[in-house]
Coordinates of all heavy atoms in Angstrom, one line a residue:
N1223 N 45.9 8.0 0.5 CA 44.6 8.3 0.2 C 43.6 7.1 0.3 O 42.4 7.3 0.5 CB 44.4 8.9 -1.2 CG 44.9 10.4 -1.2 OD1 45.0 11.0 -0.2 ND2 45.2 10.8 -2.4
Y1224 N 44.2 5.9 0.3 CA 43.3 4.7 0.4 C 42.8 4.5 1.8 O 41.8 3.8 1.9 CB 44.1 3.4 0.0 CG 44.5 3.4 -1.5 CD1 45.8 3.7 -1.9 CD2 43.5 3.2 -2.4 CE1 46.1 3.6 -3.2 CE2 43.8 3.2 -3.8 CZ 45.2 3.4 -4.2 OH 45.5 3.4 -5.5
L1225 N 43.3 5.2 2.7 CA 42.8 5.0 4.1 C 41.8 6.0 4.4 O 41.1 5.9 5.5 CB 44.0 5.2 5.1 CG 45.1 4.1 4.9 CD1 46.2 4.4 5.9 CD2 44.6 2.7 5.2
N1226 N 41.6 7.0 3.6 CA 40.5 8.0 3.8 C 39.2 7.5 3.3 O 39.0 7.2 2.1 CB 40.9 9.3 3.1 CG 42.1 10.0 3.6 OD1 42.5 9.8 4.8 ND2 42.8 10.8 2.8
V1227 N 38.2 7.4 4.2 CA 36.9 6.9 3.8 C 36.0 8.1 3.5 O 35.9 9.0 4.3 CB 36.3 6.0 5.0 CG1 34.9 5.6 4.6 CG2 37.2 4.9 5.3
E1228 N 35.4 8.0 2.3 CA 34.5 9.1 1.9 C 33.1 8.6 2.1 O 32.8 7.4 1.9 CB 34.7 9.4 0.4 CG 36.2 9.9 0.1 CD 36.4 11.3 0.4 OE1 35.4 12.1 0.4 OE2 37.5 11.7 0.7
Y1229 N 32.1 9.4 2.4 CA 30.7 9.0 2.6 C 29.8 9.9 1.8 O 30.0 11.1 1.6 CB 30.3 9.2 4.1 CG 31.2 8.4 5.1 CD1 32.2 9.0 5.8 CD2 30.9 7.1 5.3 CE1 32.9 8.3 6.7 CE2 31.6 6.4 6.2 CZ 32.7 7.0 6.9 OH 33.4 6.2 7.8
L1230 N 28.7 9.2 1.3 CA 27.7 10.0 0.6 C 26.8 10.5 1.7 O 26.7 10.0 2.8 CB 26.9 9.0 -0.3 CG 27.7 8.6 -1.5 CD1 26.8 7.5 -2.3 CD2 28.0 9.7 -2.5
P1231 N 26.0 11.5 1.4 CA 25.0 12.0 2.4 C 24.0 11.0 2.9 O 23.8 10.0 2.1 CB 24.3 13.2 1.7 CG 25.2 13.5 0.5 CD 25.9 12.3 0.2
S1232 N 23.5 11.1 4.0 CA 22.5 10.1 4.5 C 21.3 10.0 3.7 O 20.5 9.1 3.8 CB 22.2 10.4 6.0 OG 21.5 11.7 6.1
S1233 N 21.0 10.9 2.8 CA 19.9 10.9 1.9 C 20.3 10.4 0.6 O 20.1 11.0 -0.5 CB 19.3 12.3 1.8 OG 20.2 13.2 1.4
S1234 N 20.9 9.2 0.5 CA 21.4 8.6 -0.7 C 20.7 7.2 -0.9 O 20.5 6.5 0.1 CB 22.9 8.4 -0.7 OG 23.6 9.7 -0.6
Y1235 N 20.4 6.9 -2.1 CA 19.6 5.7 -2.4 C 20.2 5.0 -3.6 O 20.9 5.5 -4.4 CB 18.1 6.1 -2.8 CG 17.5 7.0 -1.7 CD1 17.7 8.4 -1.7 CD2 16.7 6.4 -0.8 CE1 17.1 9.1 -0.7 CE2 16.1 7.2 0.2 CZ 16.3 8.6 0.2 OH 15.8 9.3 1.2
Y1236 N 19.8 3.7 -3.8 CA 20.2 2.9 -5.0 C 18.9 2.5 -5.7 O 17.8 2.4 -5.1 CB 21.0 1.7 -4.6 CG 20.3 0.6 -3.9 CD1 19.7 -0.4 -4.6 CD2 20.1 0.6 -2.5 CE1 19.0 -1.4 -4.0 CE2 19.5 -0.4 -1.9 CZ 18.9 -1.4 -2.7 OH 18.2 -2.5 -2.0
S1237 N 19.1 2.2 -7.0 CA 18.0 1.6 -7.8 C 18.7 0.6 -8.7 O 19.9 0.7 -9.1 CB 17.4 2.7 -8.7 OG 16.5 2.2 -9.6
I1238 N 17.9 -0.5 -9.1 CA 18.4 -1.5 -10.0 C 17.5 -1.4 -11.3 O 16.3 -1.4 -11.2 CB 18.2 -2.9 -9.4 CG1 18.9 -3.0 -8.0 CG2 18.8 -4.0 -10.3 CD1 20.4 -3.0 -8.0
K1239 N 18.2 -1.3 -12.4 CA 17.5 -1.3 -13.7 C 18.0 -2.4 -14.6 O 19.1 -2.9 -14.5 CB 17.8 0.0 -14.4 CG 17.1 1.2 -13.9 CD 17.1 2.3 -14.9 CE 16.3 3.5 -14.4 NZ 15.8 4.3 -15.4
D1240 N 17.0 -2.9 -15.4 CA 17.4 -3.9 -16.5 C 18.3 -3.2 -17.5 O 17.9 -2.1 -18.0 CB 16.1 -4.4 -17.1 CG 16.4 -5.5 -18.1 OD1 16.9 -5.1 -19.2 OD2 16.2 -6.7 -17.9
Y1241 N 19.4 -3.7 -17.7 CA 20.4 -3.0 -18.6 C 19.9 -2.9 -20.0 O 20.1 -1.9 -20.6 CB 21.7 -3.8 -18.6 CG 22.9 -3.1 -19.1 CD1 23.7 -2.3 -18.3 CD2 23.3 -3.3 -20.5 CE1 24.8 -1.6 -18.8 CE2 24.4 -2.6 -21.0 CZ 25.1 -1.8 -20.2 OH 26.2 -1.1 -20.7
K1242 N 19.2 -3.9 -20.5 CA 18.8 -3.9 -21.9 C 17.6 -3.0 -22.1 O 17.5 -2.2 -23.1 CB 18.5 -5.3 -22.4 CG 18.2 -5.4 -23.9 CD 18.0 -6.9 -24.3 CE 17.8 -7.0 -25.8 NZ 17.6 -8.4 -26.2
T1243 N 16.6 -3.2 -21.3 CA 15.3 -2.4 -21.5 C 15.3 -1.1 -20.7 O 14.4 -0.3 -21.0 CB 14.1 -3.3 -21.0 OG1 14.2 -3.5 -19.6 CG2 14.1 -4.6 -21.7
N1244 N 16.2 -0.9 -19.8 CA 16.2 0.3 -19.0 C 15.0 0.5 -18.1 O 14.7 1.5 -17.6 CB 16.4 1.6 -19.8 CG 17.2 2.6 -19.1 OD1 18.1 2.3 -18.4 ND2 16.8 3.9 -19.3
E1245 N 14.3 -0.6 -17.8 CA 13.1 -0.6 -16.9 C 13.6 -0.7 -15.5 O 14.5 -1.5 -15.2 CB 12.2 -1.8 -17.2 CG 11.5 -1.7 -18.6 CD 10.6 -2.9 -18.8 OE1 9.6 -3.1 -18.0 OE2 10.9 -3.7 -19.7
D1246 N 12.9 0.0 -14.6 CA 13.2 -0.1 -13.2 C 12.8 -1.5 -12.7 O 11.6 -1.9 -12.8 CB 12.4 0.9 -12.4 CG 12.9 2.3 -12.5 OD1 14.2 2.4 -12.6 OD2 12.2 3.3 -12.5
V1247 N 13.7 -2.2 -12.1 CA 13.4 -3.4 -11.4 C 13.2 -3.1 -9.9 O 12.2 -3.6 -9.3 CB 14.6 -4.5 -11.6 CG1 14.3 -5.7 -10.8 CG2 14.8 -4.7 -13.0
I1248 N 14.0 -2.3 -9.3 CA 13.9 -1.8 -8.0 C 14.0 -0.3 -8.1 O 15.1 0.2 -8.3 CB 15.0 -2.4 -7.0 CG1 15.1 -3.9 -7.1 CG2 14.9 -1.9 -5.6 CD1 14.0 -4.6 -6.5
P1249 N 12.9 0.4 -7.9 CA 13.0 1.9 -8.0 C 13.6 2.5 -6.8 O 13.6 1.9 -5.7 CB 11.6 2.3 -8.3 CG 10.8 1.2 -7.6 CD 11.6 0.0 -7.7
F1250 N 14.0 3.8 -6.9 CA 14.4 4.6 -5.7 C 13.2 4.7 -4.8 O 12.1 5.1 -5.3 CB 14.8 6.0 -6.1 CG 16.1 6.0 -7.0 CD1 16.0 6.5 -8.2 CD2 17.3 5.6 -6.5 CE1 17.2 6.6 -9.0 CE2 18.4 5.7 -7.2 CZ 18.4 6.2 -8.5
D1251 N 13.3 4.4 -3.5 CA 12.3 4.7 -2.5 C 12.9 4.6 -1.1 O 14.1 4.4 -1.0 CB 11.1 3.8 -2.7 CG 11.3 2.3 -2.3 OD1 12.3 2.0 -1.7 OD2 10.5 1.5 -2.8
S1252 N 12.1 4.7 -0.1 CA 12.6 4.7 1.2 C 13.3 3.4 1.6 O 14.1 3.4 2.6 CB 11.5 5.1 2.2 OG 10.5 4.1 2.2
N1253 N 12.9 2.3 0.9 CA 13.5 1.0 1.2 C 14.9 0.8 0.6 O 15.5 -0.2 0.8 CB 12.6 -0.1 0.8 CG 11.3 -0.1 1.6 OD1 11.4 0.1 2.8 ND2 10.2 -0.3 1.0
T1254 N 15.3 1.7 -0.3 CA 16.6 1.6 -1.0 C 17.6 2.6 -0.5 O 18.6 2.9 -1.2 CB 16.4 1.7 -2.5 OG1 16.0 3.0 -2.9 CG2 15.4 0.6 -3.0
K1255 N 17.4 3.0 0.7 CA 18.4 4.0 1.3 C 19.7 3.3 1.5 O 19.7 2.1 2.0 CB 17.8 4.5 2.6 CG 18.5 5.8 3.0 CD 17.7 6.4 4.1 CE 18.2 7.8 4.3 NZ 17.4 8.6 5.3
L1256 N 20.8 3.9 1.2 CA 22.1 3.4 1.5 C 22.4 3.3 3.0 O 22.1 4.3 3.7 CB 23.2 4.2 0.8 CG 23.2 4.1 -0.7 CD1 24.3 5.0 -1.3 CD2 23.4 2.7 -1.3
S1257 N 23.1 2.3 3.4 CA 23.6 2.2 4.8 C 25.0 2.7 4.9 O 25.6 3.0 3.9 CB 23.5 0.7 5.3 OG 22.2 0.3 5.3
L1258 N 25.5 2.8 6.1 CA 26.8 3.4 6.4 C 27.4 2.8 7.6 O 26.8 2.5 8.6 CB 26.6 4.9 6.7 CG 27.8 5.8 7.0 CD1 28.7 5.9 5.9 CD2 27.3 7.1 7.5
D1259 N 28.7 2.4 7.4 CA 29.5 2.0 8.6 C 30.9 2.6 8.5 O 31.1 3.5 7.7 CB 29.5 0.5 8.7 CG 30.3 -0.2 7.5 OD1 31.0 0.5 6.8 OD2 30.1 -1.5 7.4
G1260 N 31.8 2.1 9.3 CA 33.1 2.7 9.3 C 33.9 2.5 8.0 O 35.0 3.2 7.8
N1261 N 33.5 1.6 7.1 CA 34.2 1.4 5.9 C 33.6 2.2 4.7 O 34.1 2.2 3.6 CB 34.1 -0.1 5.5 CG 34.9 -0.9 6.5 OD1 36.0 -0.6 6.8 ND2 34.3 -2.0 6.9
G1262 N 32.4 2.8 4.9 CA 31.8 3.6 3.9 C 30.3 3.2 3.7 O 29.7 2.6 4.6
N1263 N 29.7 3.6 2.6 CA 28.3 3.3 2.3 C 28.2 1.9 1.7 O 29.1 1.4 1.0 CB 27.8 4.3 1.2 CG 27.7 5.7 1.8 OD1 28.7 6.5 1.6 ND2 26.7 6.1 2.4
Y1264 N 27.0 1.3 1.9 CA 26.8 0.0 1.3 C 25.3 -0.3 1.3 O 24.5 0.5 1.9 CB 27.5 -1.1 2.2 CG 26.9 -1.3 3.5 CD1 25.9 -2.3 3.7 CD2 27.3 -0.5 4.6 CE1 25.3 -2.5 5.0 CE2 26.7 -0.7 5.9 CZ 25.7 -1.7 6.0 OH 25.2 -1.9 7.3
F1265 N 24.9 -1.4 0.6 CA 23.5 -1.8 0.7 C 23.5 -3.4 0.6 O 24.4 -3.9 0.0 CB 22.6 -1.2 -0.3 CG 22.9 -1.5 -1.7 CD1 22.4 -2.5 -2.4 CD2 23.8 -0.6 -2.4 CE1 22.7 -2.8 -3.7 CE2 24.1 -0.8 -3.8 CZ 23.5 -1.9 -4.4
N1266 N 22.5 -4.0 1.2 CA 22.4 -5.4 1.1 C 21.2 -5.7 0.1 O 20.2 -5.0 0.2 CB 22.0 -6.1 2.4 CG 23.2 -6.0 3.4 OD1 24.3 -6.2 3.0 ND2 22.9 -5.7 4.7
F1267 N 21.4 -6.7 -0.7 CA 20.4 -6.9 -1.8 C 20.3 -8.4 -2.1 O 21.4 -9.1 -2.2 CB 20.8 -6.2 -3.1 CG 19.8 -6.4 -4.2 CD1 18.6 -5.7 -4.2 CD2 20.1 -7.2 -5.2 CE1 17.7 -5.9 -5.2 CE2 19.2 -7.4 -6.3 CZ 18.0 -6.7 -6.2
R1268 N 19.2 -9.0 -2.2 CA 19.0 -10.4 -2.5 C 19.0 -10.6 -4.0 O 18.1 -10.3 -4.7 CB 17.7 -10.9 -1.9 CG 17.7 -11.0 -0.4 CD 16.4 -11.6 0.1 NE 16.4 -11.6 1.5 CZ 16.0 -12.6 2.2 NH1 15.4 -13.6 1.7 NH2 16.1 -12.5 3.5
M1269 N 20.1 -11.2 -4.4 CA 20.3 -11.4 -5.9 C 19.3 -12.4 -6.4 O 19.0 -12.4 -7.6 CB 21.7 -11.9 -6.2 CG 22.8 -10.9 -5.8 SD 22.7 -9.4 -6.8 CE 23.5 -10.0 -8.3
S1270 N 18.7 -13.2 -5.6 CA 17.7 -14.2 -6.0 C 16.4 -13.6 -6.5 O 15.6 -14.3 -7.1 CB 17.4 -15.2 -4.9 OG 16.9 -14.5 -3.8
T1271 N 16.2 -12.3 -6.2 CA 15.0 -11.6 -6.7 C 15.1 -11.3 -8.2 O 14.2 -10.9 -8.8 CB 14.7 -10.4 -5.9 OG1 15.8 -9.4 -6.1 CG2 14.5 -10.7 -4.4
L1272 N 16.3 -11.4 -8.8 CA 16.6 -11.0 -10.2 C 16.5 -12.2 -11.1 O 16.9 -13.3 -10.7 CB 17.9 -10.3 -10.3 CG 18.0 -9.0 -9.5 CD1 19.4 -8.4 -9.7 CD2 17.0 -8.0 -9.9
Q1273 N 16.2 -12.0 -12.3 CA 16.2 -13.0 -13.3 C 17.6 -13.4 -13.7 O 18.4 -12.6 -14.0 CB 15.4 -12.6 -14.6 CG 15.2 -13.6 -15.6 CD 14.3 -13.1 -16.7 OE1 13.7 -12.1 -16.7 NE2 14.3 -13.9 -17.8
K1274 N 17.8 -14.7 -13.8 CA 19.2 -15.2 -14.2 C 19.5 -15.0 -15.6 O 18.6 -14.9 -16.5 CB 19.3 -16.7 -13.9 CG 19.2 -17.0 -12.4 CD 19.3 -18.5 -12.1 CE 19.5 -18.7 -10.6 NZ 18.3 -19.0 -9.9
E1275 N 20.8 -14.8 -15.9 CA 21.3 -14.6 -17.3 C 20.9 -13.3 -17.9 O 20.7 -13.2 -19.1 CB 20.9 -15.8 -18.2 CG 21.5 -17.1 -17.7 CD 23.0 -17.1 -17.6 OE1 23.7 -16.5 -18.4 OE2 23.5 -17.7 -16.6
R1276 N 20.6 -12.3 -17.0 CA 20.3 -11.0 -17.5 C 21.3 -10.0 -16.9 O 21.9 -10.2 -15.9 CB 18.9 -10.6 -17.1 CG 17.8 -11.4 -17.9 CD 16.5 -10.7 -18.0 NE 16.5 -9.4 -18.6 CZ 16.2 -9.1 -19.8 NH1 15.9 -10.1 -20.7 NH2 16.1 -7.9 -20.3
M1277 N 21.5 -8.9 -17.6 CA 22.4 -7.8 -17.2 C 21.5 -6.7 -16.5 O 20.4 -6.4 -16.9 CB 23.1 -7.1 -18.4 CG 24.1 -8.0 -19.0 SD 25.6 -8.2 -18.1 CE 26.2 -6.6 -18.0
Y1278 N 22.1 -6.2 -15.4 CA 21.4 -5.1 -14.6 C 22.4 -4.0 -14.4 O 23.6 -4.2 -14.5 CB 20.9 -5.7 -13.3 CG 19.8 -6.7 -13.5 CD1 20.2 -8.1 -13.5 CD2 18.5 -6.4 -13.6 CE1 19.2 -9.0 -13.7 CE2 17.5 -7.3 -13.8 CZ 17.9 -8.7 -13.9 OH 16.9 -9.6 -14.0
K1279 N 21.9 -2.9 -14.0 CA 22.8 -1.8 -13.6 C 22.3 -1.1 -12.3 O 21.1 -1.2 -12.0 CB 23.0 -0.8 -14.7 CG 21.8 0.0 -15.1 CD 22.1 0.9 -16.3 CE 20.8 1.6 -16.8 NZ 21.2 2.6 -17.8
I1280 N 23.2 -0.6 -11.6 CA 22.9 0.1 -10.3 C 23.0 1.6 -10.5 O 24.0 2.1 -11.1 CB 23.9 -0.3 -9.2 CG1 23.8 -1.8 -9.0 CG2 23.5 0.4 -7.9 CD1 24.9 -2.4 -8.1
L1281 N 22.0 2.3 -10.1 CA 22.0 3.8 -10.2 C 22.0 4.3 -8.7 O 21.5 3.6 -7.8 CB 20.7 4.3 -10.9 CG 20.6 4.2 -12.4 CD1 20.4 2.7 -12.8 CD2 19.6 5.0 -12.9
Y1282 N 22.6 5.4 -8.6 CA 22.6 6.1 -7.2 C 21.9 7.4 -7.3 O 22.1 8.2 -8.3 CB 24.1 6.2 -6.8 CG 24.7 4.9 -6.5 CD1 25.5 4.3 -7.5 CD2 24.5 4.2 -5.4 CE1 26.1 3.1 -7.3 CE2 25.1 2.9 -5.2 CZ 25.9 2.4 -6.1 OH 26.5 1.2 -5.9
K1283 N 21.2 7.7 -6.3 CA 20.5 9.0 -6.2 C 21.0 9.7 -4.9 O 20.9 9.1 -3.8 CB 19.0 8.8 -6.1 CG 18.2 10.1 -5.9 CD 16.7 9.7 -5.9 CE 15.9 10.8 -5.3 NZ 14.4 10.4 -5.3
V1284 N 21.5 10.9 -5.0 CA 22.0 11.6 -3.8 C 21.2 12.9 -3.7 O 21.1 13.7 -4.7 CB 23.5 12.0 -4.0 CG1 23.9 12.8 -2.8 CG2 24.3 10.7 -4.1
V1285 N 20.5 13.1 -2.6 CA 19.8 14.3 -2.3 C 20.6 15.2 -1.4 O 21.0 14.7 -0.3 CB 18.4 14.0 -1.7 CG1 17.6 15.3 -1.4 CG2 17.6 13.1 -2.6
S1286 N 20.9 16.4 -1.8 CA 21.8 17.3 -1.0 C 21.1 18.6 -1.0 O 21.1 19.4 -2.0 CB 23.2 17.4 -1.6 OG 24.0 18.3 -0.8
G1287 N 20.4 18.9 0.1 CA 19.6 20.2 0.2 C 18.5 20.1 -0.8 O 17.7 19.2 -0.9
S1288 N 18.4 21.1 -1.7 CA 17.4 21.1 -2.7 C 17.8 20.5 -4.0 O 17.1 20.5 -5.0 CB 16.9 22.5 -3.0 OG 18.0 23.3 -3.5
N1289 N 19.1 20.0 -4.1 CA 19.6 19.4 -5.3 C 19.5 17.9 -5.2 O 19.7 17.2 -4.2 CB 21.1 19.7 -5.4 CG 21.3 21.2 -5.6 OD1 20.6 21.9 -6.3 ND2 22.3 21.8 -4.9
V1290 N 19.1 17.3 -6.4 CA 19.0 15.8 -6.6 C 20.0 15.4 -7.7 O 19.9 16.0 -8.8 CB 17.6 15.4 -6.9 CG1 17.5 13.9 -7.1 CG2 16.6 15.8 -5.8
Y1291 N 20.9 14.5 -7.4 CA 21.8 14.0 -8.4 C 21.6 12.5 -8.6 O 21.5 11.7 -7.7 CB 23.2 14.2 -7.9 CG 23.6 15.6 -7.5 CD1 23.5 16.0 -6.2 CD2 24.0 16.5 -8.5 CE1 23.8 17.4 -5.9 CE2 24.3 17.8 -8.2 CZ 24.2 18.2 -6.9 OH 24.5 19.5 -6.6
I1292 N 21.4 12.1 -9.9 CA 21.3 10.7 -10.3 C 22.6 10.3 -11.0 O 22.9 10.9 -12.0 CB 20.1 10.5 -11.2 CG1 18.8 11.0 -10.6 CG2 20.0 9.0 -11.6 CD1 18.2 10.2 -9.4
F1293 N 23.2 9.3 -10.5 CA 24.4 8.7 -11.2 C 24.0 7.5 -12.0 O 23.7 6.5 -11.4 CB 25.5 8.4 -10.1 CG 25.9 9.7 -9.4 CD1 25.3 10.1 -8.2 CD2 26.9 10.5 -9.9 CE1 25.7 11.2 -7.5 CE2 27.3 11.6 -9.2 CZ 26.7 12.0 -8.1
D1294 N 24.0 7.6 -13.3 CA 23.6 6.6 -14.2 C 24.6 6.6 -15.4 O 24.3 7.1 -16.4 CB 22.2 6.8 -14.7 CG 21.8 5.7 -15.7 OD1 22.5 4.7 -15.9 OD2 20.7 6.0 -16.4
D1295 N 25.8 6.0 -15.1 CA 26.8 6.1 -16.2 C 27.2 4.7 -16.7 O 28.2 4.5 -17.4 CB 28.1 6.8 -15.7 CG 28.7 6.2 -14.5 OD1 28.2 5.1 -14.0 OD2 29.7 6.7 -14.0
N1296 N 26.4 3.7 -16.4 CA 26.6 2.3 -16.8 C 27.9 1.7 -16.3 O 28.3 0.6 -16.7 CB 26.6 2.1 -18.3 CG 25.3 2.5 -18.9 OD1 24.2 2.2 -18.3 ND2 25.2 3.1 -20.1
Q1297 N 28.5 2.4 -15.3 CA 29.8 1.9 -14.7 C 29.5 0.8 -13.8 O 30.3 -0.1 -13.6 CB 30.5 3.0 -14.0 CG 31.8 2.6 -13.4 CD 32.5 3.8 -12.7 OE1 32.0 4.9 -12.7 NE2 33.6 3.5 -12.0
F1298 N 28.3 0.8 -13.1 CA 28.0 -0.2 -12.1 C 27.0 -1.2 -12.7 O 25.9 -1.3 -12.3 CB 27.4 0.5 -10.9 CG 28.2 1.6 -10.4 CD1 27.9 3.0 -10.5 CD2 29.4 1.4 -9.7 CE1 28.6 4.0 -10.1 CE2 30.2 2.4 -9.2 CZ 29.8 3.7 -9.4
S1299 N 27.5 -2.1 -13.6 CA 26.6 -3.1 -14.2 C 27.1 -4.5 -13.8 O 28.3 -4.7 -13.4 CB 26.6 -2.9 -15.7 OG 27.9 -3.1 -16.2
F1300 N 26.2 -5.4 -13.8 CA 26.5 -6.8 -13.5 C 25.6 -7.8 -14.1 O 24.5 -7.4 -14.6 CB 26.5 -7.0 -11.9 CG 25.1 -6.7 -11.3 CD1 24.3 -7.8 -11.1 CD2 24.7 -5.5 -11.0 CE1 23.0 -7.6 -10.5 CE2 23.4 -5.2 -10.5 CZ 22.6 -6.3 -10.2
K1301 N 25.9 -9.0 -14.2 CA 25.1 -10.1 -14.8 C 24.8 -11.1 -13.7 O 25.7 -11.5 -12.9 CB 25.8 -10.7 -15.9 CG 25.0 -11.8 -16.6 CD 25.8 -12.4 -17.8 CE 24.9 -13.4 -18.5 NZ 25.6 -14.0 -19.7
V1302 N 23.6 -11.6 -13.6 CA 23.2 -12.6 -12.7 C 23.4 -13.9 -13.5 O 22.8 -14.2 -14.5 CB 21.7 -12.5 -12.3 CG1 21.3 -13.6 -11.4 CG2 21.5 -11.2 -11.6
V1303 N 24.2 -14.8 -12.9 CA 24.5 -16.1 -13.5 C 23.9 -17.2 -12.7 O 23.6 -17.1 -11.6 CB 26.0 -16.3 -13.7 CG1 26.6 -15.3 -14.6 CG2 26.7 -16.3 -12.4
K1304 N 23.7 -18.4 -13.4 CA 23.2 -19.6 -12.8 C 24.0 -20.1 -11.6 O 25.2 -20.0 -11.6 CB 23.0 -20.7 -13.8 CG 22.0 -20.4 -14.8 CD 21.9 -21.5 -15.8 CE 21.0 -21.1 -17.0 NZ 20.8 -22.2 -17.9

């Protein structure tokens, strides 16, 4: 199963939130659309735009037809270090 690549729909986006305050740092918009290659979905992000020594989390938004799904389970969190 590790060789099977799964893809999110082309209408999938990411957002970055401050972990402590839950404020949007980078909201969902047309500039946060996920990219896709032969290895799966990905996005490029400049970590230098975030404040050092703070925790952040990544949220995912998937639009499938008339349904919108937001994945916000604190599983995708990280800290920016010096």
